[in-house]
Amino acid sequence: SSSVTIVASRILWVTVIGGALDAAGDEGTRIARGTILQNVWPTTNDLMFQNILLLSLIGMLFLVLALVEIGKTTIGLGATTVLGAAMTLVTQLLLNAKIIKWETYPAFLGIWYGGKLFGMCSSFGSFAIVNEFAPQEAVGTWSGFLQGLSGVAEAVATMSIAILYDAMNDGSDDGLRGVVAMFLTAGISVLAVICYSPLIVLVPAKAPDNKVQAKRFLTVEQYEQLTDLEYKRLTMEEIDFQETRRMQDGKIPRVMIWGSYLEEIPELEGMMERALKDFEFMKRYTTSILTSQAKLEEDRQYMKQMDHLLEGTVDIEDQRRMMGEWVTRYLEDAGYHTWWQFPQFFKVMLMNTFPPVKALDGKRTDWDTCDYEEMSLNFLKVADQHVRQRRSNNWTGLPRSLRMAKSAV
């Protein structure tokens, strides 16, 4: 549907396919509680005992709902769902007699209950993701995809694993405990974890609400009194929060001028130290707006409003001059002193660092006509590259050299 963004569509299909694999893999915990438990410990093959197990599962559902809500606010629905599938996998391995041979059923059931408590988080988490990211008019359709595909996968797994269990049950202890069948279902759960794993990045924890941020950050009055140097030391998250709040009050956004490279040498170390958090914030923010057409349009209007408020207040040509001065001073200081001698080489380096997020046509972005979703997706890829580069410490030795430069100023 055109109302589903590319990112939202990816999230929904990953959830639906991962949910089907998760349901099939969970057959291992079902045969553990049913077939294996009753065959290994015949005393549990009692109607009252089985009814107690089922009733206890119903009571456990309330705990699972609480765990999913806690996971949603702390690590995000994506990580919560992956954790649930991983716990289902771990539980099946722990209940496999080839790994641990349980001698008493209370210990066996203890592991089973613990695994189900966290394992069911994936099932509830997947439904929560569908409800959150499917367009309101299509929630029923996507929920149907999830339930239908999961139901088919579960039915096929139930029949297949039952046949495999019977075929491998030669009367031996391993056959009775379903060792081969349990390894197979664990393998399916591995696939479920792998399939779900992109959700960790695509569905992170929600950003703190405005009230929480207001307590963490400066007041508007304190923010507006900052010097240019103090302003540049703020994180992107705080600047976004403050400027959004000020724009809602009709105030002109504050502009971070390029300034002088030589004056900023002592600030470079702090700039690089903040870089990872800043890129990760931009990555989270961009991913968030890409999950909904409404959010994309809201952000497009925000960009238009910012351009309108800044119109006539910023000397763009002067900023271009300052940027060129800053960049060339840095290149010379960093050892790239031949920038003026081999301009084509340095142009390529610059374009590799900043690949285009829109078609190159010699014009500034027109917010009314641009494909904002495509631009945002392309920016997300660029942000990913910078995050990976910063994490890999490609700037080896830079902090030390910056400290030396700082002490020399």
Side-chain angles (χ1 to χ4, degrees), residues 59-72:
M60 191 185 294
L61 293 179
F62 295 99
L63 292 176
V64 174
L65 289 172
L67 284 175
V68 170
E69 190 61 32
I70 293 171
K72 179 181 179 180

Side-chain angles (χ1 to χ4, degrees), residues 31-291:
I31 66 168
R33 179 191 61 81
T35 307
I36 296 173
L37 178 69
Q38 294 174 37
N39 285 348
V40 177
W41 295 284
T43 55
T44 63
N45 191 10
D46 176 77
L47 182 60
M48 181 60 69
F49 186 88
Q50 292 299 318
N51 285 339
I52 292 173
L53 290 181
L54 291 174
L55 288 173
S56 63
L57 268 182
I58 295 173
M60 191 185 294
L61 293 179
F62 295 99
L63 292 176
V64 174
L65 289 172
L67 284 175
V68 170
E69 190 61 32
I70 293 171
K72 179 181 179 180
T73 56
T74 53
I75 61 176
L77 275 175
T80 300
T81 303
V82 174
L83 177 62
M87 287 304 299
T88 297
L89 167 62
V90 170
T91 301
Q92 292 178 83
L93 293 176
L94 291 177
L95 295 179
N96 194 307
K98 276 296 183 184
I99 297 175
I100 300 178
K101 188 173 181 178
W102 302 97
E103 300 297 338
T104 61
Y105 74 79
F108 184 88
L109 278 177
I111 295 297
W112 182 84
Y113 271 116
K116 290 299 289 184
L117 176 63
F118 290 95
M120 283 193 290
C121 288
S122 58
S123 300
F124 283 85
S126 61
F127 276 104
I129 289 172
V130 166
N131 287 330
E132 183 169 333
F133 290 97
Q136 188 173 2
E137 69 276 9
V139 170
T141 300
W142 283 101
S143 295
F145 285 157
L146 177 59
Q147 293 181 59
L149 199 56
S150 296
V152 170
E154 184 177 335
V156 171
T158 299
M159 291 185 292
S160 302
I161 301 304
I163 293 171
L164 178 64
Y165 177 86
D166 289 341
M168 301 303 295
N169 187 5
D170 54 2
S172 65
D173 195 46
D174 282 356
L176 200 63
R177 293 174 181 264
V179 167
V180 175
M182 291 293 286
F183 272 130
L184 178 60
T185 56
I188 299 173
S189 289
V190 169
L191 296 178
V193 172
I194 294 172
C195 186
Y196 273 143
S197 60
L199 296 176
I200 297 174
V201 174
L202 293 172
V203 191
K206 295 290 185 182
D209 60 29
N210 288 342
K211 291 182 179 179
V212 174
Q213 288 182 313
K215 293 178 180 178
R216 289 172 48 203
F217 299 145
L218 299 172
T219 64
V220 174
E221 293 75 18
Q222 291 172 326
Y223 174 74
E224 292 177 343
Q225 291 173 5
L226 294 176
T227 64
D228 286 342
L229 183 59
E230 291 170 332
Y231 173 61
K232 290 179 179 180
R233 290 172 179 168
L234 297 179
T235 62
M236 288 296 297
E237 182 180 6
E238 179 160 7
I239 291 174
D240 177 74
F241 170 75
Q242 299 287 3
E243 290 303 328
T244 300
R245 186 163 57 173
R246 293 178 75 249
M247 285 179 64
Q248 289 170 349
D249 294 336
K251 296 180 179 179
I252 297 175
R254 184 168 182 172
V255 178
M256 187 183 294
I257 62 173
W258 272 82
S260 166
Y261 171 74
L262 295 178
E263 292 177 359
E264 287 191 345
I265 287 178
E267 302 298 317
L268 298 183
E269 182 179 357
M271 193 185 303
M272 292 302 294
E273 288 175 350
R274 291 189 299 272
L276 184 57
K277 285 185 178 180
D278 285 344
F279 276 117
E280 287 181 333
F281 165 73
M282 291 304 298
K283 184 178 172 182
R284 289 196 307 272
Y285 178 81
T286 306
T287 301
S288 173
I289 66 171
L290 280 166
T291 59

